[in-house]
Structure formats: structure tokens, C-alpha cells
Amino acid sequence: MIEKKTVCQIVDQWLEGKDYFLVEVDISPDSKIVVEIDHKDGVWIEDCVDLSRYIESRLDREEEDYELEVGSAGIGQPFKVLQQYQIYTGKNVEVMTAGGKKLEGVLKEADEQGFTLTCTRKVRPEGAKRPKLVEEDLRFAYNEIKYTKYLISFK
């Protein structure tokens, strides 16, 4: 079976000098290899084809047969790597906490330890008749959430 480490090394070689980054490599027991890449401005099909050919030129089908699929991470899919969080900083995202609470807000910042989400909620100050909108920053470690994904808006 082709090893994930081998495919990752091949992809890393192709990525050198490019603004793309590797999101995930998955290899199923029946030797289907799925490679996901991303870029801050989106992924071009021509680059997926180029990467696919590059990988195929470095793997030997005579040694082991495989199926290869190269594509983008997908705009509505959960984030898998830090670079995706950094790309969407300043954008609206949806977060599902480990406790099952769904939150929407603006991704304020992200680093290796976690990220900050700015949420807006209604709060009625004491003595006031109407609630006011108040922004609050919530900090999450990556292990405190089930997923974060870009919130697509058609407004």
C-alpha cells in the first residue's frame, strides 16, 4: 500500500515556491488517494491537473495500482489546517462547539493554539427598555470545537 508520508512528501515538493498549501491527504484501504489543496484566492483546475500529473510521475503503477483524486478543500467544508483559519480572518464563520452549540460570528484571529470569534448578541442593560447589540470576543482552542467553516452569504 502506498504510504501517506510518501504522498505528502511528493505534494510538498510540488508546493515549493507556490502559494498553495496542503489541506489533507487521505488513502483508503483500496488505494484511493485523495489530495486536498487550498489557496487564499481559490484553487484552479489547471493546478489540480498539474499536481495530479506530478504525483503520478513519481508513483509506480507497476508496483501498486491506485486511484488518484486531486481537488480543492471546498468552500463549505470545515477547516482542517491553520492556513484556512488565517485565510478567512475577518470573514463570517460558523462554529460548532464540542458541546453542540452553534455560533456565528467574525473570525478575528487564529494561531497555533486556537482562534477568536467575535459574536454579536442582544443584551438589555439594566433599566433599559430595549436590548442593545453587544460584540464579544470568544476564544476557542481547536479541541473545544467540532468544526469551523466559512459562512456563505447571498445577501
Side-chain angles (χ1 to χ4, degrees):
M1 184 168 161
I2 298 169
E3 292 194 26
K4 182 175 181 175
K5 178 181 162 187
T6 303
V7 176
C8 288
Q9 288 172 340
I10 293 169
V11 173
D12 285 341
Q13 290 168 4
W14 183 85
L15 290 171
E16 283 182 28
K18 296 179 177 71
D19 289 333
Y20 282 100
F21 57 89
L22 179 62
V23 174
E24 185 173 46
V25 170
D26 186 47
I27 302 176
S28 68
D30 62 344
S31 294
K32 179 177 181 181
I33 304 168
V34 178
V35 178
E36 291 183 1
I37 58 173
D38 209 347
H39 186 283
K40 65 180 177 67
D41 296 325
V43 176
W44 296 94
I45 188 72
E46 294 85 3
D47 291 326
C48 291
V49 170
D50 186 45
L51 175 56
S52 180
R53 288 181 180 149
Y54 187 84
I55 294 168
E56 287 179 345
S57 73
R58 280 149 179 79
L59 295 177
D60 186 2
R61 282 195 189 273
E62 298 299 321
E63 190 176 303
E64 183 161 3
D65 194 29
Y66 60 89
E67 179 184 344
L68 178 61
E69 180 181 314
V70 176
S72 68
I75 195 159
Q77 299 300 311
F79 300 163
K80 297 175 184 170
V81 295
L82 176 59
Q83 289 102 318
Q84 290 176 300
Y85 282 87
Q86 292 170 336
I87 286 172
Y88 290 101
T89 297
K91 307 279 190 216
N92 289 323
V93 296
E94 177 181 288
V95 174
M96 176 67 77
T97 66
K101 186 176 181 180
K102 193 182 284 190
L103 302 168
E104 290 182 11
V106 175
L107 184 58
K108 185 175 182 178
E109 62 185 4
D111 55 37
E112 290 81 14
Q113 287 73 43
F115 64 95
T116 303
L117 182 71
T118 301
C119 296
T120 304
R121 62 185 181 108
K122 290 182 180 181
V123 175
R124 187 180 348 206
E126 195 173 314
K129 292 184 179 183
R130 296 181 184 202
K132 290 175 42 176
L133 292 176
V134 176
E135 286 187 349
E136 66 178 335
D137 288 345
L138 303 173
R139 180 79 181 165
F140 294 97
Y142 297 110
N143 65 356
E144 296 176 321
I145 61 160
K146 289 183 181 176
Y147 68 77
T148 301
K149 59 185 179 180
Y150 176 62
L151 193 58
I152 301 168
S153 175
F154 296 102
K155 294 179 185 177

